[in-house]
């Protein structure tokens, strides 16, 4: 189990910055982008196909997860204001 956790974390490292950059582009601020990208990384960690797909597919999954979570944050922010 521990090796599996470390392996997944190593697969997430190359997409960590990508998630943040995409979320920041959508949201336009550091705080919300950090929160959205954190949630995107958690989503990817829990996604079985993330482990078995190619690097290009992991990049695509990461972008999609970042956009999804950024839009969720943008929606939450607009309902609070």
């Amino acid at each position: 189990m521990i090796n599996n956790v470390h392996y997944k974390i190593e697969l997430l490292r190359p997409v960590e910055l990508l998630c943040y950059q995409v979320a920041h582009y959508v949201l336009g601020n550091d705080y919300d982008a950090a929160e959205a990208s954190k949630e995107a990384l958690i989503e990817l960690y829990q996604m079985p196909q993330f482990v078995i797909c190619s690097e290009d597919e992991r990049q695509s999954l990461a972008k999609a997860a970042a956009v999804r979570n950024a839009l969720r944050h943008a929606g939450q922010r607009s309902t609070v204001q």
Side-chain angles (χ1 to χ4, degrees), residues 12-23 37 41:
L12 287 168
R13 287 190 197 285
V15 299
E16 185 176 4
L17 180 59
L18 174 63
C19 286
Y20 177 80
Q21 290 172 330
V22 170
S37 63
L41 291 167

Side-chain angles (χ1 to χ4, degrees), residues 20-39:
Y20 177 80
Q21 290 172 330
V22 170
H24 196 280
Y25 179 80
V26 172
L27 294 166
N29 72 74
D30 295 339
Y31 178 79
D32 289 333
E35 289 299 308
S37 63
K38 178 177 73 174
E39 291 169 10

